[in-house]
Amino acid sequence: MGSEKVGETVVVGNYVEMEPEGKSKSMKNKFSNLFWHGGSVYDAWFSCASNQVAQVLLTLPYSFSQLGMLSGILLQLFYGLLGSWTAYIISILYVEYRTRKEREKVDFRNHVIQWFEVLDGLLGKHWRNVGLAFNCTFLLFGSVIQLIACASNIYYINDNLDKRTWTYIFGACCATTVFIPSFHNYRIWSFLGLLMTTYTAWYLTVASLLHGQVDGVRHSGPTKLVLYFTGATNILYTFGGHAVTVEIMHAMWKPQKFKAIYLMATVYVMTLTLPSAAAVYWAFGDMLLNHSNAFSLLPRTPFRDMAVILMLIHQFITFGFACTPLYFVWEKAIGMHECKSLCKRAAARLPVVIPIWFLAIIFPFFGPINSTVGSLLVSFTVYIIPALAHIFTFRSATARENAVDQPPKYFGRWTGTFTINVFIVVWVLIVGFGFGGWASMINFVDQIDTFGLFTKCYQCPAPAVAASSPPPSHGLNATAAAPLHHHPFNHSRSH
């Protein structure tokens, strides 16, 4: 009983990673606490909501054109619930792991707990290795997607440079995230990030409604299984942004209060994603099949330029969210994680940015890459592995009896919890990874066949002088001359 008390006391203790102990009452310290040191439930909520929506806000109308209006709305609600459940499961496993370790007098004051360490502590090294591989690969490509989105967005207000050049520039800008120590230090960024996506979502909604439906608008989706499952996995990706749940929880002063935070964040995010995706699809219909970025169809106005700029800033923030766990893994691998010097740690982190930069230049397929990452990586990282890990951690009667958090009655206690977990594993394995992987890979390979790797300006309009002659079927700039529905799998030929 005494050891339990010790564990409980430490769990709710105030941890501030990478900061000197003791609290100063100086003005500088107060300012720092206000904008820099976030560990409350509100900080966690802002981090979850800000990280969840990001650039996918701009690709959801594209998914609606593949799925149709009804499926688009229902799948958002469905995957929102599934994502909230698995985030809850991850939080339960984190608290279980941390409590067990702190009963053994392990101090995490200068160590950020990560998902693969939770798996290692609860289930052993094989689970750790699988979790580490999927989580790192997903976060790597999540960071890649943010760079691609930056280049895609800035092109709509400044096309003097091609998208590949913009990727070089934003890669250098995003590399500055190496100076942000941990998720404690995203307080002001996550708050601003959510304001930015809120503005962008309501801009898309209002601008589409004011624009009205284009002449001859058609809403024919869903028409092909490949399109349907590609769109579905993009929505699975939308609500699978909790690969950083453990790091966000560890930054909280009282991590056991996290349980319902992700659900509340998801509810707010749906007030942004459902109206914006539905309004843009209502206005432009099947045209979205060839325009994976919603900005491309709306006329240029000061309001659209403001939305583009705000999304650019937000993508910088989201790059940091996705990349910070990778920084931690790399620091632990080279023995720099507990180093007190911020500059030394920042220098040690730089090699992590280089492969991200390189991959964004190889695969600049804004939209299709979301579905591919969703089906092959998100499906396991944030749905299947957490659900299975919970089942195996509490498979014995002793483990269930001694669990720190007992499942509530309204989930059906342990039987209900295990049933929900099994359903998620089967559903996501068959629908998300199986059908979704098949459809996404066909679509992704088609992008490579059409545009080529290292394409200079993916989805850019064809030069006016070349409009009269047929474009090559492959190459760096095979873009806009094809008709809107020329190819059933390629949604990206026209701007």
Side-chain angles (χ1 to χ4, degrees), residues 61-124:
Y62 163 67
S63 297
F64 269 48
S65 70
Q66 298 168 318
L67 294 164
M69 187 75 81
L70 180 61
S71 288
I73 293 171
L74 291 178
L75 283 172
Q76 279 205 43
L77 296 171
F78 177 68
Y79 281 122
L81 285 174
L82 257 58
S84 299
W85 173 262
T86 51
Y88 165 73
I89 289 298
I90 290 171
S91 74
I92 295 298
L93 294 173
Y94 168 86
V95 171
E96 182 73 26
Y97 166 77
R98 183 164 174 173
T99 305
R100 288 185 189 182
K101 286 297 180 184
E102 285 170 350
R103 285 171 182 165
E104 299 168 8
K105 310 299 184 195
V106 177
D107 188 352
F108 295 108
R109 199 172 299 270
N110 292 309
H111 181 95
V112 177
I113 299 173
Q114 294 188 267
W115 176 230
F116 71 92
E117 293 169 319
V118 173
L119 291 174
D120 188 19
L122 296 177
L123 294 168

Side-chain angles (χ1 to χ4, degrees), residues 94-224:
Y94 168 86
V95 171
E96 182 73 26
Y97 166 77
R98 183 164 174 173
T99 305
R100 288 185 189 182
K101 286 297 180 184
E102 285 170 350
R103 285 171 182 165
E104 299 168 8
K105 310 299 184 195
V106 177
D107 188 352
F108 295 108
R109 199 172 299 270
N110 292 309
H111 181 95
V112 177
I113 299 173
Q114 294 188 267
W115 176 230
F116 71 92
E117 293 169 319
V118 173
L119 291 174
D120 188 19
L122 296 177
L123 294 168
K125 65 178 183 178
H126 297 302
W127 282 82
R128 175 200 66 196
N129 294 339
V130 171
L132 183 63
F134 273 104
N135 213 46
C136 287
T137 309
F138 167 47
L139 291 169
L140 180 76
F141 278 97
S143 304
V144 167
I145 287 169
Q146 300 312 315
L147 281 189
I148 295 170
C150 285
S152 178
N153 289 343
I154 191 65
Y155 188 80
Y156 295 118
I157 58 175
N158 187 337
D159 59 3
N160 293 327
L161 299 176
D162 59 71
K163 292 182 182 179
R164 188 168 67 190
T165 303
W166 280 119
T167 304
Y168 292 137
I169 294 168
F170 279 100
C173 294
C174 289
T176 59
T177 56
V178 297
F179 290 101
I180 302 176
S182 77
F183 281 94
H184 266 303
N185 313 115
Y186 275 97
R187 165 170 276 185
I188 189 65
W189 292 114
S190 58
F191 173 73
L192 291 175
L194 193 57
L195 290 181
M196 293 165 187
T197 49
T198 299
Y199 171 88
T200 303
W202 287 108
Y203 158 74
L204 291 173
T205 304
V206 174
S208 298
L209 294 175
L210 292 177
H211 181 281
Q213 292 186 313
V214 295
D215 293 339
V217 66
R218 288 171 49 193
H219 300 88
S220 57
T223 56
K224 302 280 185 181

